[in-house]
Amino acid sequence: MEIVDFRSDTVTRPTPEMREAMAAAEVGDDVYGEDPTVNALQEKAAEMMGMQAGLLVPTGTMGNLASLLAHCNRGDEVIMGNQAHTFRYEAGGLAALGGVQPHLLTNQPDGTILLEDIRGAIRGDDAHFPVSRLIALENTHNRANGAALSAQYTQSVADLAHEHGMKLHIDGARIFNAAAALGVDVGELTSPADSVTFCLSKGLCAPVGSLICGSKEFIYKAHRARKQLGGGMRQAGIIAAAGLVALEKMVSRLPEDHRRAVELATGLDTIDGVSVEDLNPKSNMVYFKLAGENTLSPEELIKAAKAKGVLFGHAGGGRFRMVTHYWVGDEAVKTAVEMISAVVSRQS
Ligand SMILES: *Cc1c(COP(=O)(O)O)cnc(C)c1O
């Protein structure tokens, strides 16, 4: 039985071209700054983001944490959304390792934080207060169904941060999906910010790796933070080679994943007993619920679909998430709709 895996775009395996590039990669000791492939990847990333410099890190989580450590001192405050990945899913690293306090504001359903909420959260100069150091946004926003934040919104938040002597960091794990969803150059979404983290290992299919980009001064600090966190790798050109293929070949095909998300949503919506949240998915994520007479528990639905070779996740509260990516083509979308239909219609 063929397995079609819609759990996440993190399940993507490297493409044959990536494996070839990895095998042939020129390498050196990156802790000495001597790996030419890592250096090429960092330069390419910085150029695409419209920033001065880049830094390869093993994971997006380390990218966000090293960025926060580079921007903040202990006791400083970072303003972020209450649905932010960094707050919910990064094991409290900012507090545990940085002594940084998150100041949480409500994320709107579109993933933004209201400008007036941010303005109201910025502290004045008073010895009682923590120092408001940083604002962090997420683009695309995972918990907002993969919604993309516009360049204009990002610029407004950056302006607000800079007016108050603060910095803006973007958790852009899926920033290229945001650019594809909005039909803009990725640099328009990142250049207003002071730093960005993005993942090579999600929709871009590389096996490992994320990048941090920002000013030379910021990357200098992030480089030390990466070392502290144990993220200084040696012949990392093996990883960077796949990353270069990701940036050169995989970015421009992301609209295909978004088209398939629409097709998947449309297909699922034809199933009696399935209710799709948004027939026009915001990027590569489709959310649905069981509706009507269904008696399946979330665990039962996932198990029954898995038995038919279709994998997806439970996002909590009876909501299911399916993520499109390179390794699920048109056939996989058809299979998923057929199999979920077979499982659900047996119930009703
Ligand atoms: C995946 C993800 C991360 C972290 O990436 P890892 O490489 O899994 O550590 C950070 N932020 C967002 C929004 C993500 O989706």
Side-chain angles (χ1 to χ4, degrees), residues 59-61 64 85 90 138 142 171 173-174 199 202:
T59 64
T61 299
N64 286 330
H85 190 281
E90 295 174 20
E138 184 176 315
N142 199 335
D171 175 359
R174 296 189 180 82
C199 293
K202 293 185 172 168

Side-chain angles (χ1 to χ4, degrees), residues 66 100 123 135 166 203 209 213 234 239 251 254 260 321 323 332:
V100 176
R123 313 276 189 175
I135 303 171
M166 299 171 69
C213 294
R234 301 293 176 174
I239 292 169
V251 168
L254 288 175
R260 288 203 181 94
R321 184 181 83 156
V323 184

Side-chain angles (χ1 to χ4, degrees), residues 121 184 271:
V184 301
I271 303 172

Side-chain angles (χ1 to χ4, degrees), residues 77-81 101-105 117 120-123 130 132:
E77 205 165 58
V78 49
I79 293 173
M80 63 171 70
Q101 167 162 301
H103 188 148
L104 296 181
L105 300 175
D117 287 354
I122 298 173
R123 313 276 189 175
S132 300

Side-chain angles (χ1 to χ4, degrees), residues 115-163:
L115 290 174
E116 57 259 42
D117 287 354
I118 298 176
R119 205 172 281 116
I122 298 173
R123 313 276 189 175
D125 182 13
D126 183 315
H128 292 81
F129 299 157
V131 174
S132 300
R133 186 74 65 187
L134 184 69
I135 303 171
L137 296 175
E138 184 176 315
N139 198 9
T140 60
H141 200 292
N142 199 335
R143 299 264 308 170
N145 296 16
L149 274 48
S150 71
Q152 192 193 2
Y153 172 74
T154 307
Q155 185 68 59
S156 314
V157 176
D159 291 346
L160 188 52
H162 298 154
E163 246 170 65

Side-chain angles (χ1 to χ4, degrees), residues 270-347:
T270 62
I271 303 172
D272 233 6
V274 166
S275 160
V276 172
E277 269 179 32
D278 186 351
L279 282 172
N280 247 315
K282 296 177 170 39
S283 54
N284 64 338
M285 299 178 185
V286 177
Y287 286 80
F288 70 92
K289 283 184 168 180
L290 292 183
E293 320 254 295
N294 244 289
T295 55
L296 281 172
S297 73
E299 294 73 26
E300 285 166 343
L301 174 66
I302 284 175
K303 202 170 152 210
K306 187 177 175 187
K308 291 185 175 296
V310 181
L311 307 188
F312 53 89
H314 180 215
R319 300 168 72 232
F320 301 94
R321 184 181 83 156
M322 298 181 78
V323 184
T324 55
H325 56 77
Y326 181 73
W327 294 103
V328 287
D330 294 331
E331 273 308 304
V333 169
K334 256 179 72 189
T335 304
V337 173
E338 279 167 19
M339 294 305 165
I340 292 170
S341 174
V343 170
V344 172
S345 56
R346 235 187 313 127
Q347 293 301 308

